[in-house]
């Protein structure tokens, strides 16, 4: 059973998610003001450059309830800022409002904060509790935390493949695997990442638009990666210096494998579609379940370096011998969780620490 502090911090996290599209590169933050087990104000950070969660929470308190602030507790999912940016320090506002207690989900890793906001509150005589639902609060802003602690973008690898391990055909253009619902999932990923990357070969062969046309949100910055021009570590260092907090890598297989071989990934979204060939569409649900499970546990093997775009002879799948296909990267991992969308399945893997 949740404690009262956990319950109200959970509400902060719910509120914070409303800023998923607008808040970055700032973190998503929610705030709740409670007096005698009654919420008298709440808010979230909706858009970068605009009011922070604490400001909106205090602004939502009615005139009749303002007299209760000195008896109230402020819950906030991330430490109140202590510096002047596009807005004044929230720690100063909290002190002026005179709340008796502040409960903080986690400390802000940003160099200009890092505990300074908490210390300001304590120096003003406010009782401060830190670390309520800390892991959940850190997870919500994992992209922000990774950028400021590891000095690189948060990296998400995403690809779609058939249940028999195929991502595409060499020279055959893009293979349509996703259904409308999983396309929306993919474009949600695009809308919530600062930049999107494909390898130069995928860019030439498929001419992907890499936009958010199936989801309401901004188009990510488009990056075409050429391993002959710079290494992946060099690319990530450059993107960090340019303020890119999150990077979505959509292919192709060789590019994905390079990131995997270097251990440079935080999250993987692996979509499993139906088998590639018409006769295989007649498989029973039970057979498809077994195929999907077998793929997640022991995918079609490829060479570790994947230098040839993971091409294998397609007679293994019963098609014309001269046709070569691109197979999915090998994952010697168990998914963290999975979801089913129609006839498709999305496996989620996490490497975030």
């Amino acid at each position: 059973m949740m404690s009262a502090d956990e319950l109200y911090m959970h509400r902060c996290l719910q509120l914070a998610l409303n800023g998923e599209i607008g808040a970055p590169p700032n973190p998503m933050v929610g705030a709740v003001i409670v007096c005698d087990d009654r919420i008298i104000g709440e808010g979230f950070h909706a858009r970068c450059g605009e009011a922070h969660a604490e400001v909106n929470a205090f602004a939502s308190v009615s005139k009749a309830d303002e007299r209760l602030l000195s008896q109230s507790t402020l819950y906030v999912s991330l430490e109140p800022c202590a510096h002047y940016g596009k807005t004044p320090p929230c720690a100063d506002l909290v002190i002026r409002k005179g709340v008796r207690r502040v409960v903080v989900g986690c400390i802000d890793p940003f160099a200009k904060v890092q505990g300074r906001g908490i210390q300001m509150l304590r120096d003003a005589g406010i009782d401060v509790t830190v670390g309520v639902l800390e892991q959940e609060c850190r997870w919500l802003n994992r992209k922000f935390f990774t950028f400021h602690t590891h000095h690189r973008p948060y990296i998400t690898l995403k690809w779609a493949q058939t249940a028999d391990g195929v991502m595409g055909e060499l020279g055959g253009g893009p293979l349509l695997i996703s259904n409308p619902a999983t396309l929306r999932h993919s474009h949600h990923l695009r809308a919530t990442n600062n930049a999107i990357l494909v390898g130069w070969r995928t860019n030439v062969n498929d001419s992907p638009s890499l936009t958010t046309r199936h989801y309401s949100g901004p188009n990510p910055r488009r990056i075409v990666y050429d391993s002959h021009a710079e290494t992946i570590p060099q690319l990530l260092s450059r993107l960090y210096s340019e303020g890119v907090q999150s990077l979505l890598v959509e292919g192709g297989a060789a590019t994905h494998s390079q990131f995997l071989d270097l251990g440079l990934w935080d999250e993987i979204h692996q979509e499993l579609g139906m088998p590639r060939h018409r006769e295989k569409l007649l498989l029973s649900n039970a057979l498809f379940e077994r195929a999907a499970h077998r793929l997640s546990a022991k995918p079609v093997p490829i060479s570790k370096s994947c230098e040839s775009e993971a091409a294998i002879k397609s007679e293994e799948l019963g098609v014309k011998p001269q046709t070569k296909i691109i197979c999915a990267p090998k994952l010697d991992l168990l998914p963290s969780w999975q979801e089913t969308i129609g006839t498709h399945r999305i496996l989620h893997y996490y490497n975030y620490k």
Side-chain angles (χ1 to χ4, degrees):
M1 183 176 177
M2 281 189 176
S3 67
D5 282 354
E6 290 172 335
L7 179 65
Y8 293 123
M9 189 59 68
H10 183 71
R11 177 58 181 161
C12 289
L13 293 172
Q14 290 178 324
L15 290 165
L17 272 173
N18 289 307
E20 182 182 40
I21 298 296
N26 287 352
M28 294 174 277
V29 185
V32 175
I33 304 169
V34 178
C35 182
D36 294 330
D37 293 325
R38 179 170 70 90
I39 294 177
I40 63 172
E42 61 181 26
F44 63 92
H45 181 40
R47 196 164 289 105
C48 182
E50 297 184 3
H52 288 190
E54 301 93 326
V55 175
N56 289 328
F58 283 117
S60 74
V61 177
S62 69
K63 289 289 185 182
D65 286 337
E66 284 183 353
R67 62 184 178 81
L68 301 175
L69 287 176
S70 62
Q71 308 164 47
S72 300
T73 297
L74 168 68
Y75 293 85
V76 61
S77 56
L78 187 69
E79 173 185 7
C81 62
H83 66 292
Y84 280 89
K86 293 182 178 179
T87 60
C90 289
D92 283 345
L93 174 67
V94 175
I95 293 168
R96 289 200 308 273
K97 291 295 183 179
V99 296
R100 66 177 181 83
R101 181 173 180 244
V102 175
V103 178
V104 176
C106 60
I107 294 174
D108 190 335
F110 183 47
K112 292 184 178 180
V113 186
Q114 285 186 329
R116 293 177 179 87
I118 292 169
Q119 191 58 52
M120 285 176 63
L121 299 179
R122 286 175 172 160
D123 289 346
I126 298 173
D127 178 19
V128 182
T129 300
V130 181
V132 174
L133 297 187
E134 180 176 10
Q135 292 306 311
E136 291 87 341
C137 292
R138 290 176 61 89
W139 175 256
L140 176 71
N141 284 304
R142 55 194 181 277
K143 295 173 183 177
F144 180 80
F145 273 76
T146 296
F147 181 81
H148 287 288
T149 57
H150 297 299
H151 302 131
R152 65 163 174 80
Y154 183 92
I155 302 165
T156 300
L157 309 184
K158 181 270 169 189
W159 68 82
Q161 63 185 79
T162 64
D164 42 13
V166 180
M167 288 181 70
E169 293 182 358
L170 286 178
L175 179 63
L176 299 179
I177 297 173
S178 299
N179 63 30
T182 58
L183 267 178
R184 181 170 172 79
H185 169 84
S186 298
H187 288 219
H188 173 232
L189 283 177
R190 292 179 180 182
T192 54
N193 279 274
N194 299 149
I196 186 170
L197 179 148
V198 293
W200 68 269
R201 188 174 296 159
T202 296
N203 187 58
V204 170
N205 292 342
D206 297 352
S207 300
S209 64
L210 306 180
T211 63
T212 57
R213 58 196 180 278
H214 295 294
Y215 194 87
S216 179
N219 291 324
R221 171 180 166 183
R222 181 191 184 100
I223 297 172
V224 177
Y225 174 63
D226 182 356
S227 60
H228 300 291
E230 62 182 340
T231 65
I232 288 175
Q234 288 171 336
L235 169 69
L236 296 178
S237 178
R238 175 167 63 84
L239 293 179
Y240 173 76
S241 68
E242 295 170 357
V244 175
Q245 283 191 5
S246 54
L247 176 67
L248 177 63
V249 181
E250 285 207 2
T255 301
H256 281 132
S257 293
Q258 289 179 52
F259 277 87
L260 288 166
D261 290 348
L262 291 169
L264 287 171
W265 65 276
D266 300 290
E267 193 169 319
I268 297 173
H269 293 242
Q270 179 188 29
E271 178 183 343
L272 306 181
M274 292 295 287
R276 179 168 172 258
H277 306 293
R278 178 175 291 274
E279 62 270 23
K280 293 185 180 180
L281 296 177
L282 302 177
L283 286 172
S284 67
N285 286 338
L287 183 57
F288 178 69
E289 289 285 333
R290 290 199 296 273
H293 174 74
R294 184 170 63 251
L295 183 64
S296 66
K298 189 178 181 181
V300 178
I302 61 172
S303 62
K304 188 172 180 62
S305 63
C306 201
E307 292 177 352
S308 63
E309 278 281 354
I312 61 173
K313 291 187 179 299
S314 59
E315 54 259 37
E316 294 176 16
L317 295 175
V319 294
K320 295 179 181 180
Q322 66 269 26
T323 303
K324 290 187 175 182
I325 64 173
I326 302 168
C327 67
K330 180 179 179 180
L331 291 177
D332 293 321
L333 303 166
L334 291 177
S336 302
W337 67 286
Q338 55 186 289
E339 58 183 319
T340 300
I341 304 178
T343 57
H344 290 211
R345 177 170 298 169
I346 298 178
L347 307 182
H348 300 262
Y349 305 81
Y350 296 104
N351 193 36
Y352 169 72
K353 297 179 179 62

